Amino acid sequence: MTTGKINVSVENIFPLIKKFLYSDHEIFLRELISNGTDATLKLKHLISIGEAKVEFGNPFIEIKVDKEGKKIHIIDQGLGMTSDEVEKYINQVAFSGAEEFLDKYKDSAKDSGIIGHFGLGFYSAFMVAEKVEIITKSYKDEPAAHWTCDGSPEFTLEPADKTSRGTEIILHVAEDSLDFLEDSKIAGLLNKYNKFMPIPIKFGTKTETLPKPEDAPEDYVNETVEIDNFINNPNPAWTKQPTELSDEDYKSFYRELYPMQFEDPLFHIHLNVDYPFNLTGILYFPKLGSDLQIQKDKIQLYQNQVYVTDNVEGIVPEFLTMLKGVIDSPDIPLNVSRSGLQADGAVKKISNYITRKVADKLKALFNENRADFEAKWNDIKIVLEYGMLSEDKFYEKAGAFVLYPTVDDTYFTLEELKEKIKDNQTNKDGKIVVLYAGNKEAQHSYIETAKDKGYQVLLLDSPIISHLIQKIEGDNSDITFVRVDSDHVDNLIKKDEETISKLSEEEKENLKTSLETYIPKAYTVQLEAMDSQAAPFIITQPEFMRRMKEMSQSGGGGMFGMGNMPEMYNLVVNTNSDLASNILNTEDKTHQEHLVKQALDLAKLSQNLLKGEALTAFVKRSFEMIK
């Protein structure tokens, strides 16, 4: 038997490993299973190139929990190690890596992600164990070795009588970590981190009912047997070629990823690239609607089929973090901080690739089945609109598939829309005016008035639409967006012709003075000569002010404090209406006030602005009128 002291300058490195290297103790199991997987896959490679003259067989990794003995066993059938290799890889390489790591990264280690990059995966065992044993037999024809360490720099190394190839790690669980001896706890960790490991993982047994024989009597009782319980799927969908998978395979894998998701995804995007970086994965568009809810089921990041995190910020473009699915890449540097990750050149290439791939897929779906794409538009639009705002590369491609729906459920691309409306909706300055509503019900009367003029009205109701139309206007000098309730219909698209007012300039001044006596200060009175059959009072919200306020409320907008400003409204009064003449010519001031308030309340009612006490008073007044 050999005893010795690991040659490290730090007297006891294990408390430091426990304190600095791992923010989450539970990853010890992930790390140890990853090591066993690596050992198994390396053996497979050595056999394939003729360096190892052994049978590979059907190896698996087994996890055993000995609750009474307070031990956890992790057993693989991989390469194994000789005594010399234990001395080299366990006592020397890993520890020098540990010292180097602590020296360089101790301030930010908690964000460092997977520790296996440093050869330190094995030492995560000491986060839950007071003593660790390694019993290992190499595939080479050499004796087995037994290494023991109690978490100090002291170790023992002696021969062992193990005859089968591979490594068994025995963790003597510390008193502060006894919860890891519960089967349910281990099963939960295996499901979280090792669900798609490439080598089968056995944990316990399960009961299986045997099929009933054809000649069995009526009173036959089905037999049950105990079989090994393998908890992982070693060949998940993302490791296969798209040609190997049907639509049902993709949906089935979605349910495997998210067992509590009961709705199928709308469509999927299969990622598969091996140059200039290696990345595979499947992204799914779930049904999203217009609300930007915080989602529980996120995109999962794997490294060689080992779960790492569902915080993919910086790797996946921000607008796509609303999707679900899997990304697997050995080329993402998981040992750097989040800010370092976002500045990493390889990660930027990966992010750009994902953006391009998603844009290409959306374009293909649009071209292959436009009707289906239109039917799904409301469930995906928020992702695409956010992508247009946040990613220039996506914005450049978006014109080919981003849709603009009308209130009548007709869908146009921007170029199609321009072509459709240019003859009827070009104003006197030569700009195409795109009319839109934010709420079909609330703005119904304005929509109908615009449609009566033969105008197309879009329905744009996303929470970020004000930001988006601002960007589109900036990039398309020939168009302007105007919400349908922002002015009287004749002013929405200013033409050369003007309607003549029945009232003289002096009469208009007198009318305005009378109106402002009764109209609240929140309204700016605006006199307009319109068709005599048009509504006498119309409430509008100035496009610029409303848009800036909305943008400020949803982030950005460029005008400080705009989101806290009170609502601003225009009261447009039709000088050619009979009501305007009546108000002007009424000498009874009480009756004049009554006419103005009733007309104002009717206009407010059409904008859904009449509420509470004012609504009660209006209803009471209206009933008085029809007695």
Side-chain angles (χ1 to χ4, degrees), residues 376-416:
K376 290 171 177 171
W377 177 252
N378 280 329
D379 289 309
I380 64 170
K381 66 184 177 188
I382 194 72
V383 177
L384 275 58
E385 289 168 354
Y386 188 31
M388 290 173 73
L389 276 174
S390 59
E391 292 284 334
D392 288 341
K393 284 185 167 55
F394 187 76
Y395 181 83
E396 288 165 17
K397 290 175 172 278
F401 52 79
V402 163
L403 293 172
Y404 299 83
T406 70
V407 291
D408 300 316
D409 298 318
T410 308
Y411 294 82
F412 298 103
T413 65
L414 190 60
E415 289 307 312
E416 288 169 349

Side-chain angles (χ1 to χ4, degrees), residues 325-585:
V326 166
I327 287 172
D328 189 332
S329 175
D331 293 334
I332 295 170
L334 301 168
N335 55 339
V336 295
S337 66
R338 284 278 146 198
S339 57
L341 192 63
Q342 285 159 5
D344 185 273
V347 172
K348 279 186 177 166
K349 284 180 186 165
I350 287 172
S351 183
N352 289 341
Y353 164 77
I354 293 171
T355 299
R356 190 179 77 247
K357 188 77 175 176
V358 167
D360 290 347
K361 176 71 173 185
L362 290 166
K363 184 179 177 182
L365 289 166
F366 175 81
N367 290 336
E368 287 162 15
N369 190 339
R370 177 162 177 165
D372 184 59
F373 193 83
E374 288 178 358
K376 290 171 177 171
W377 177 252
N378 280 329
D379 289 309
I380 64 170
K381 66 184 177 188
I382 194 72
V383 177
L384 275 58
E385 289 168 354
Y386 188 31
M388 290 173 73
L389 276 174
S390 59
E391 292 284 334
D392 288 341
K393 284 185 167 55
F394 187 76
Y395 181 83
E396 288 165 17
K397 290 175 172 278
F401 52 79
V402 163
L403 293 172
Y404 299 83
T406 70
V407 291
D408 300 316
D409 298 318
T410 308
Y411 294 82
F412 298 103
T413 65
L414 190 60
E415 289 307 312
E416 288 169 349
L417 180 68
K418 284 186 190 179
E419 191 59 34
K420 175 79 175 173
I421 68 174
K422 67 180 183 184
D423 292 339
N424 198 28
Q425 290 181 221
T426 299
N427 66 16
K428 61 187 176 65
D429 299 320
K431 277 203 172 191
I432 298 170
V433 180
V434 179
L435 299 181
Y436 71 100
N439 184 313
K440 221 160 45 165
E441 296 301 314
Q443 291 147 25
H444 182 267
S445 62
Y446 299 88
I447 293 167
E448 290 304 307
T449 304
K451 284 168 67 176
D452 287 345
K453 287 266 190 183
Y455 296 155
Q456 292 284 342
V457 181
L458 301 184
L459 180 61
L460 305 177
D461 57 5
S462 297
I464 56 172
I465 200 64
S466 294
H467 294 274
L468 184 59
I469 60 180
Q470 197 83 354
K471 183 173 176 64
I472 294 168
E473 285 172 341
D475 290 324
N476 294 269
S477 58
D478 58 338
I479 64 171
T480 182
F481 283 75
V482 178
R483 205 167 86 175
V484 74
D485 62 344
S486 64
D487 209 332
H488 175 256
V489 70
D490 291 339
N491 291 338
L492 292 175
I493 305 173
K494 283 267 193 188
K495 306 280 187 174
D496 284 329
E497 66 269 13
E498 282 193 27
T499 306
I500 297 167
S501 175
K502 288 198 296 189
L503 303 183
S504 67
E505 289 303 313
E506 184 183 351
E507 287 174 318
K508 284 196 280 188
E509 280 300 315
N510 291 337
L511 176 62
K512 191 170 185 183
T513 302
S514 298
L515 290 168
E516 286 174 343
T517 307
Y518 312 114
I519 300 294
K521 292 273 190 288
Y523 295 88
T524 302
V525 177
Q526 189 178 313
L527 301 183
E528 294 279 351
M530 296 184 270
D531 188 293
S532 60
Q533 299 306 307
F537 278 30
I538 301 165
I539 290 173
T540 63
Q541 268 193 290
E543 174 73 19
F544 175 76
M545 297 295 284
R546 192 210 72 255
R547 196 190 294 185
M548 288 300 112
K549 183 177 168 66
E550 286 174 355
M551 287 167 67
S552 183
Q553 286 171 332
S554 61
M559 295 188 72
F560 180 76
M562 200 88 188
N564 297 320
M565 282 184 63
E567 296 284 0
M568 304 289 288
Y569 296 100
N570 290 338
L571 175 65
V572 182
V573 177
N574 181 3
T575 60
N576 289 339
S577 66
D578 291 341
L579 181 63
S581 298
N582 287 346
I583 292 168
L584 177 67
N585 298 323

